[in-house]
Amino acid sequence: MLIAAKRPRKSFDWHFGLELYWRHTFFNGASDMKYGHFDDQNREYVITQPDTPLPWINYLGCQAYFGIISNTAGGYSFYRDARLRRLTRYRYNNAPFDFGGRYVYLRDDQSGEFWSPSWQPTRHDLKDYTCRHGMGYTTIGSEYSGIQAQTRYFVPLDENLEIWQLTVTNRRPARAQLSSFACIEFCLWDAQDDATNFQRNFNTGQVEVEGGVIYHKTEYRERRNHFAYFACSEPGATFDTQREAFLGRYRGWDKPATVEAGQLTNSIAHGWSPIGAHQVKLDLAPGESRQIVFVLGYHENPIDRKFDPPGSQTINKTLVKPVIARYLNASEADAAFERLRQYWDGLLNIFQVNTPDIHTNRMVNIWNAYQCMATFNMSRSASFYESGIGRGLGFRDSNQDLLGFVHMAPARARERIIDLAATQLPTGGAYHQYQPLTKRGNNDIGGGFNDDPHWLILGVSAYLKETGDWSILDEKVPYDNEPGSEKPLYEHLQRSFRYTLARLGPHGLPLIGRADWNDCLNLNCFSDTPGQSFQTTTNKDGKVAESVFIAGLFVHAGQELAAIARHRGLASEASSYLAEAAKMESVIHEHGWDGEWFLRAYDDFGAKIGSRECEEGKIFIETNGYCVLAGIGIEDGKAAKAMTAVGEHLATKHGIVLQQPAYSKYYLNLGEISSYPPGYKENAGIFCHNNPWVIIGETRLGHGDLAHDYYSRINPSAREEISDLHRCEPYVYAQMIAGKDAPSFGEAKNSWLTGTAAWNYYAIVQWILGVRTSLDGLQIAPVIPKSWPGFTATRTFRGVVYKISIERKGEGNRIALTVDGKPIEGDIVPPPADGRKEVSVKGVLS
Ligand code: BGC
Ligand code: NOJ
């Protein structure tokens, strides 16, 4: 453990005073504590106290139907697109937090008392409150007044629905007469419109109720052919579908009038706010348990079969009814749950490791891999921080996400690559984002982020290394989705590379355009108007500001592209990429080096950014991490110097901050980076996405101890003990941890959907553990801490299971490999020639 639960302080400095104030004000002075624990055996995080500092969420669904669910059953569901097909309503940034969800109430029909077994929305003092977030499911339960109840929520594979299995057990010595209620609030599909366009949408709401199933059919009468439904396994349940009838006037979800009265009213919504609520009466003998199944789902009808009978306004339910009936059956639901577990076991078992560090093990084996799948599925659309109505899929983000999930879903990675490349522009540049439903480049934001094209090279390279599927390079892919413009994917990569060569600035470094990786370093947007976009408002001609970061990225992409070309038998083309990369490398040595570290950029006046000459923002993480990752300056000592400087100026106990000193005021020539108060986000926050670049850099220098130390500082599991400070989920990475300039130093924000997931996974697995994919096979090159006696791992790679065991015999990183008992040369395990499906690899480090 790197971070002690109680951190000793040397002196009461001004800054600590602020932190104390913050902690006292916002954390009620609570001491460092945990809110649950990991259950690694079951691949679950178990939350045992409901009032977590923030809602701690999980994802349901992994194909087309998705939901987010908090530890107190808050959250919402959608089909494919969190904005355009939102099934249920959720109120972001509400007070109290986290309202709108999959709520269950129990009512003691003898005493009239009612409560929610998931704590929200009634917030009773529950006994044994437990939320288990697992792989694609969440179970929440508790006991109250002798009644035990728990609900398991999940989305079955290959279905567009979610199942809630509510089990109620009477632990009293006497019979219990109870009512159970389950309810959701429907969203009128377009979540943006739903939250803004009330003159229309207070009039459009419509439902049908048939056979105890509530069908939400707003706009089905006109252009929609989809509807939602909420069903209950108990015949004879009563229901409500009009929110006001259910809640009563001026009441909230914590105190619905109908639940209080013990009787739903069978209301039929028309306009206003349709909801779905079911009431089931239970009469339980002592010790008796009952299970009720609820199914919430989405269904699309063929356009010409929307109504039944044809010509009526009644939903045709013939196709959906069998699906509903199937999953209302508890044993079918159990079987579907079992399949889901097997699915996740299969995915996670592709790589499993056993090291001396429990935090490494559980993140690599379970949660970091799981988070990588979430970032792939969601991109940056729906989380507690991403409202689901914002940006589409990022070109840069999605390519980087590939690094973390390609081994688990190679076919979907292939599809994603083709989709991304199809939004590339003929210039080699790229739309910064595209919309998942239309797969079209997003015109609102456009292109001109000059780092973007290179991430495609890196994404494709990661795919090739994993799969060896060279056919992808011959796949014909259009530019800007323009029919007739199709060219082999390989040509897209060539254009990506050349894009930069055609856009060099005064020092021969790449022009930055709207921004590079750091979306907030806006050197061509001198914005003084509130509300203007820092990224898309461009009021400089962009011929001066240069990015040393893109230069480093270009060198890296050039090396990767050269390796691909060489593999395709294009030796001279490969040499030309290496020559261009080498040329750029020398420009970096000449104009991108500040004496002790790599410069960050040149601004529109040609002035340095990230230099000791600057007053603020003297040193940045991005160029130092990325240049060393790309191998720049390893030979002449610059890399070592840069890493030392990062350690001295940027590293903190909570992770490595983005730059120092933080910008204390707004700089017109720098843009959004200086819009954030010091210590947050890109202004000297610990931006967890690029800490791994330094981690990889340290492994390239052979520093396993420091690499793993940096890795551990931001490892959420290693931070579990300081949950009151960290505040976000201890099982997934957050985009940012507040830096040392912020009063809330150490507080994480924006968990789940961040490039942090993929990069940390890649850094620990491929560079520290050194189980690395390469074009030629599986490479084994660990750079682990000196104190580790070794580790074992299992990796399924191109259809072969590699059983790896590494033993440390000396303190260095030299590896000697034995494959099935025979020593081999080098560190790449050749694919088994005789079609064997399992290979044993032993490595000795000295
Ligand atoms: C955030 C960045 C993000 C950008 C584009 C900014 O406000 O700070 O992290 O990349 O918006 O969405
Ligand atoms: C978040 C964006 O999604 C990512 O693309 C960007 O690199 C970082 N912010 C840094 O600005």
Side-chain angles (χ1 to χ4, degrees):
M1 256 301 297
L2 279 139
I3 304 148
K6 298 271 181 293
R7 288 149 306 124
R9 292 288 183 158
K10 283 198 210 96
S11 61
F12 188 90
D13 54 38
W14 171 83
H15 176 265
F16 180 43
L18 255 186
E19 188 180 323
L20 258 192
Y21 162 78
W22 168 265
R23 291 166 61 79
H24 183 75
T25 314
F26 296 94
F27 312 145
N28 296 322
S31 59
D32 294 333
M33 65 169 292
K34 306 198 299 177
Y35 290 79
H37 57 267
F38 287 89
D39 177 348
D40 295 335
Q41 207 63 41
N42 284 307
R43 295 177 162 155
E44 291 174 335
Y45 191 80
V46 187
I47 302 164
T48 49
Q49 192 174 319
D51 57 340
T52 46
L54 293 162
W56 285 2
I57 73 163
N58 191 16
Y59 286 88
L60 306 177
C62 47
Q63 292 154 318
Y65 183 102
F66 296 102
I68 66 173
I69 181 162
S70 74
N71 57 304
T72 58
Y76 58 91
S77 301
F78 59 94
Y79 172 74
R80 285 194 193 277
D81 186 310
R83 172 175 167 181
L84 297 174
R85 293 279 196 288
R86 184 82 64 99
L87 265 74
T88 57
R89 195 172 275 162
Y90 185 75
R91 292 173 179 80
Y92 274 94
N93 197 8
N94 205 357
F97 260 158
D98 190 26
F99 249 74
R102 302 171 180 84
Y103 292 142
V104 169
Y105 305 85
L106 290 178
R107 180 179 188 274
D108 184 329
D109 284 341
Q110 289 145 311
S111 69
E113 196 182 13
F114 66 92
W115 70 96
S116 304
S118 61
W119 195 60
Q120 287 258 57
T122 65
R123 295 194 292 275
H124 279 67
D125 200 2
L126 303 170
K127 200 174 140 211
D128 298 336
Y129 158 86
T130 311
C131 164
R132 288 181 170 266
H133 282 320
M135 305 288 104
Y137 67 91
T138 287
T139 305
I140 312 175
S142 60
E143 189 179 314
Y144 187 78
S145 114
I147 304 298
Q148 204 180 46
Q150 66 162 41
T151 313
R152 180 169 77 188
Y153 303 93
F154 70 100
V155 175
L157 292 172
D158 306 319
E159 299 288 2
N160 296 323
L161 56 90
E162 64 188 68
I163 297 177
W164 312 4
Q165 288 176 280
L166 167 67
T167 309
V168 185
T169 308
N170 179 11
R171 295 271 174 232
R172 296 176 182 170
R175 288 197 84 83
Q177 266 103 46
L178 307 167
S179 279
S180 63
F181 302 84
C183 69
I184 45 104
E185 182 176 5
F186 291 110
C187 179
L188 308 188
W189 304 116
D190 178 340
Q192 163 103 4
D193 195 69
D194 183 71
T196 47
N197 190 7
F198 302 109
Q199 60 80 25
R200 169 176 164 84
N201 61 33
F202 280 169
N203 298 292
T204 51
Q206 285 192 301
V207 297
E208 278 177 36
V209 181
E210 190 187 310
V213 182
I214 296 165
Y215 295 88
H216 173 230
K217 62 170 199 176
T218 300
E219 293 186 347
Y220 190 76
R221 65 197 311 281
E222 25 126 350
R223 292 158 298 175
R224 294 188 188 274
N225 63 329
H226 46 261
F227 56 88
Y229 55 87
F230 189 42
C232 163
S233 61
E234 298 304 302
T238 42
F239 64 87
D240 263 312
T241 68
Q242 187 68 295
R243 191 179 72 198
E244 194 176 318
F246 176 71
L247 293 180
R249 283 192 201 163
Y250 293 95
R251 291 212 184 201
W253 297 93
D254 55 335
K255 227 180 162 196
T258 46
V259 175
E260 191 177 85
Q263 192 57 58
L264 295 188
T265 67
N266 290 353
S267 60
I268 297 289
H270 216 259
W272 296 111
S273 300
I275 62 155
H278 295 283
Q279 176 180 9
V280 175
K281 298 230 182 218
L282 298 169
D283 186 356
L284 300 179
E288 190 185 347
S289 267
R290 276 274 296 282
Q291 188 177 118
I292 308 168
V293 183
F294 300 95
V295 175
L296 171 65
Y298 169 91
H299 185 81
E300 274 173 19
N301 268 339
I303 303 266
D304 55 353
R305 293 179 60 196
K306 277 174 64 170
F307 300 107
D308 180 25
S312 76
Q313 287 290 297
T314 310
I315 299 176
N316 177 359
K317 306 180 184 84
T318 42
L319 295 171
V320 77
K321 273 182 177 168
V323 182
I324 298 176
R326 174 171 177 197
Y327 291 105
L328 286 178
N329 178 313
S331 56
E332 286 282 356
D334 287 344
F337 182 73
E338 215 23 67
R339 281 195 296 276
L340 183 68
R341 287 206 84 140
Q342 281 163 11
Y343 167 81
W344 275 105
D345 284 349
L347 288 182
L348 298 181
N349 287 342
I350 294 169
F351 186 69
Q352 289 288 299
V353 72
N354 189 8
T355 77
D357 178 44
I358 189 171
H359 306 297
T360 300
N361 296 347
R362 68 164 63 111
M363 289 311 291
V364 169
N365 294 341
I366 308 168
W367 290 99
N368 194 1
Y370 182 64
Q371 184 179 4
C372 285
M373 284 301 279
T375 57
F376 165 60
N377 286 326
M378 298 285 123
S379 191
R380 305 296 175 266
S381 75
S383 73
F384 180 66
Y385 307 82
E386 302 284 1
S387 62
I389 57 179
R391 41 195 171 149
L393 266 71
F395 191 88
R396 176 203 295 141
D397 294 337
S398 297
N399 275 301
Q400 291 178 69
D401 289 348
L402 277 162
L403 289 174
F405 78 85
V406 63
H407 66 295
M408 293 185 282
R412 296 172 78 192
R414 192 183 207 275
E415 188 191 345
R416 177 66 59 88
I417 287 171
I418 305 290
D419 288 349
L420 283 162
T423 68
Q424 190 176 25
L425 298 160
T427 57
Y431 282 103
H432 196 46
Q433 293 160 1
Y434 77 96
Q435 298 309 124
L437 268 188
T438 60
K439 297 191 172 180
R440 293 259 159 183
N442 183 340
N443 266 317
D444 296 343
I445 182 141
F449 293 74
N450 284 349
D451 63 316
D452 272 340
H454 296 295
W455 299 113
L456 181 66
I457 298 176
L458 301 186
V460 171
S461 162
Y463 174 80
L464 290 172
K465 289 176 182 173
E466 178 64 40
T467 62
D469 167 22
W470 290 88
S471 75
I472 193 174
L473 294 177
D474 301 317
E475 195 77 38
K476 295 271 199 326
V477 186
Y479 289 95
D480 195 4
N481 279 295
E482 208 49 66
S485 68
E486 291 82 1
K487 292 282 182 222
L489 180 65
Y490 185 67
E491 196 197 290
H492 285 251
L493 305 188
Q494 294 170 314
R495 289 199 196 180
S496 286
F497 189 72
R498 286 201 298 266
Y499 177 84
T500 290
L501 291 175
R503 286 165 187 77
L504 297 176
H507 298 93
L509 291 162
L511 292 170
I512 195 167
R514 285 187 162 143
D516 59 24
W517 173 87
N518 190 332
D519 280 320
C520 299
L521 199 56
N522 314 120
L523 306 182
N524 292 306
C525 169
F526 284 48
S527 179
D528 55 10
T529 306
Q532 248 176 9
S533 160
F534 289 108
Q535 274 86 34
T536 59
T537 315
T538 303
N539 45 27
K540 295 286 159 181
D541 65 8
K543 296 286 188 303
V544 180
E546 298 169 293
S547 164
V548 179
F549 174 79
I550 300 179
L553 179 65
F554 174 88
V555 171
H556 187 212
Q559 295 159 353
E560 300 289 308
L561 189 55
I564 294 171
R566 206 179 319 113
H567 249 260
R568 296 202 106 198
L570 305 169
S572 72
E573 194 178 315
S575 317
S576 78
Y577 297 137
L578 289 180
E580 291 296 352
K583 208 160 111 197
M584 185 64 79
E585 213 171 317
S586 57
V587 178
I588 296 175
H589 283 288
E590 198 180 338
H591 297 293
W593 180 251
D594 196 52
E596 301 291 328
W597 55 77
F598 291 99
L599 282 174
R600 178 61 179 84
Y602 288 90
D603 72 10
D604 186 57
F605 307 104
K608 292 174 183 168
I609 297 174
S611 159
R612 63 201 148 154
E613 294 165 21
C614 304
E615 229 175 276
E616 301 187 316
K618 290 173 189 287
I619 170 170
F620 279 69
I621 191 172
E622 296 103 301
T623 38
N624 290 296
Y626 213 93
C627 287
V628 180
L629 173 157
I632 301 165
I634 292 193
E635 273 168 22
D636 69 358
K638 287 196 179 80
K641 272 192 177 168
M643 291 293 91
T644 303
V646 166
E648 274 173 18
H649 301 286
L650 302 179
T652 78
K653 62 186 173 187
H654 293 299
I656 308 168
V657 300
L658 198 142
Q659 95 277 19
Q660 277 295 292
Y663 294 114
S664 60
K665 55 176 193 270
Y666 179 57
Y667 290 82
L668 200 57
N669 60 319
L670 301 180
E672 185 169 357
I673 189 169
S674 59
S675 74
Y676 289 110
Y680 293 117
K681 296 275 286 180
E682 283 86 343
N683 189 12
I686 296 155
F687 218 87
C688 299
H689 180 143
N690 51 29
N691 278 224
W693 300 345
V694 175
I695 294 169
I696 297 171
E698 292 292 358
T699 66
R700 294 213 58 167
L701 298 178
H703 301 156
D705 281 327
L706 193 51
H708 193 263
D709 178 357
Y710 285 152
Y711 168 76
S712 301
R713 294 185 204 193
I714 59 169
N715 180 325
S717 163
R719 299 173 62 78
E720 186 195 17
E721 298 284 343
I722 52 164
S723 285
D724 257 351
L725 176 64
H726 184 78
R727 308 225 311 148
C728 280
E729 297 92 334
Y731 42 90
V732 287
Y733 285 96
Q735 181 200 58
M736 185 215 51
I737 298 172
K740 59 187 176 185
D741 302 285
S744 59
F745 179 33
E747 183 197 23
K749 276 184 201 146
N750 199 358
S751 55
W752 280 101
L753 303 183
T754 156
T756 306
W759 272 104
N760 276 282
Y761 189 81
Y762 177 68
I764 181 72
V765 172
Q766 302 219 14
W767 291 90
I768 295 181
L769 300 173
V771 182
R772 194 179 312 152
T773 57
S774 84
L775 295 178
D776 302 311
L778 196 61
Q779 188 177 8
I780 311 286
V783 183
I784 54 176
K786 290 202 180 64
S787 63
W788 285 15
F791 66 87
T792 57
T794 312
R795 172 67 151 97
T796 306
F797 175 70
R798 303 192 193 171
V800 177
V801 179
Y802 293 82
K803 300 253 181 208
I804 303 160
S805 88
I806 305 295
E807 192 190 342
R808 188 182 263 309
K809 289 224 169 121
E811 296 219 316
N813 304 308
R814 201 148 24 100
I815 185 111
L817 292 181
T818 318
V819 178
D820 282 337
K822 290 196 200 79
I824 61 158
E825 288 286 317
D827 59 8
I828 296 184
V829 184
D834 50 8
R836 266 167 313 143
K837 289 287 166 233
E838 195 174 306
V839 173
S840 141
V841 183
K842 290 206 187 325
V844 172
L845 281 175
S846 60

